[in-house]
Amino acid sequence: MAFWLFKSEPHVFSWADQVALGDAGGPWDGVRNHAARNHMRAMTVGDRGFFYHSGAQPAVVGLVEVVAPAAPDPTAPPDSGWDCVSLRALAPLPRPVSLRSIKAEPALAEMVLVRNSRLSVQPVRPEEWERVCAMGGLAP
DNA sequence: GCCAACGTTGGC
DNA sequence: GCCAACGTTGGC
């Protein structure tokens, strides 16, 4: 199983919006960046991800699961090559993990979130996954 | 194919 | 509101 991070402006699409989609989940559409799209193409069903809020209070707020592999983005023109996976909410983090606290943690200095803050869909290393989960109050 | 100009993202 | 980082566009 691989781990990922999905970024969203909560005013556009929030964790609460993701939860509201229920177990069926929904497409992570609207991504128009090749690197982010390629990460989604590399995902398989069952992969886990962090749901991250960008903006005024940047933080990891929840866990999601990939429920459908990359397929054409319904919001993109046909045959335009923009694909996206579908995600469902798994659980909120008992304590959201702020970007500030991630940057303050030496073990997380290599996270893509720290090194390339603009990439909206990112890979997460297993040890980074465990560390952020622990910081968020989730038992291993 | 190079690179300057421009637009967008996102933290602060 | 500012600015750094990054991606895209377009002239050459």
Side-chain angles (χ1 to χ4, degrees):
Chain A
M1 185 202 305
F3 302 102
W4 310 92
L5 182 146
F6 299 86
K7 232 183 333 190
S8 185
E9 286 259 13
H11 298 106
V12 178
F13 187 79
S14 70
W15 171 249
D17 294 327
Q18 181 69 56
V19 170
L21 292 175
D23 284 346
W28 194 257
D29 54 25
V31 172
R32 297 294 182 271
N33 172 283
H34 290 96
R37 188 231 18 223
N38 292 345
H39 287 314
M40 288 197 282
R41 285 179 173 173
M43 295 176 190
T44 58
V45 171
D47 281 358
R48 300 290 171 91
F50 289 132
F51 193 107
Y52 175 85
H53 278 167
S54 61
Q57 293 179 320
V60 176
V61 295
L63 307 186
V64 293
E65 179 183 23
V66 176
V67 293
D73 184 329
T75 68
D79 301 320
S80 58
W82 294 114
D83 297 336
C84 66
V85 297
S86 289
L87 303 178
R88 75 176 176 98
L90 278 183
L93 285 189
R95 296 191 304 269
V97 179
S98 67
L99 177 62
R100 183 178 178 179
S101 62
I102 288 173
K103 286 185 168 178
E105 173 54 60
L108 300 176
E110 298 302 312
M111 275 192 82
V112 180
L113 188 65
V114 175
R115 310 211 110 207
N116 180 6
S117 66
R118 290 191 50 190
L119 186 59
S120 64
V121 179
Q122 318 175 352
V124 173
R125 295 182 181 134
E127 61 270 26
E128 295 166 345
W129 178 268
E130 291 185 17
R131 177 72 60 134
V132 173
C133 284
M135 291 166 71
L138 282 182

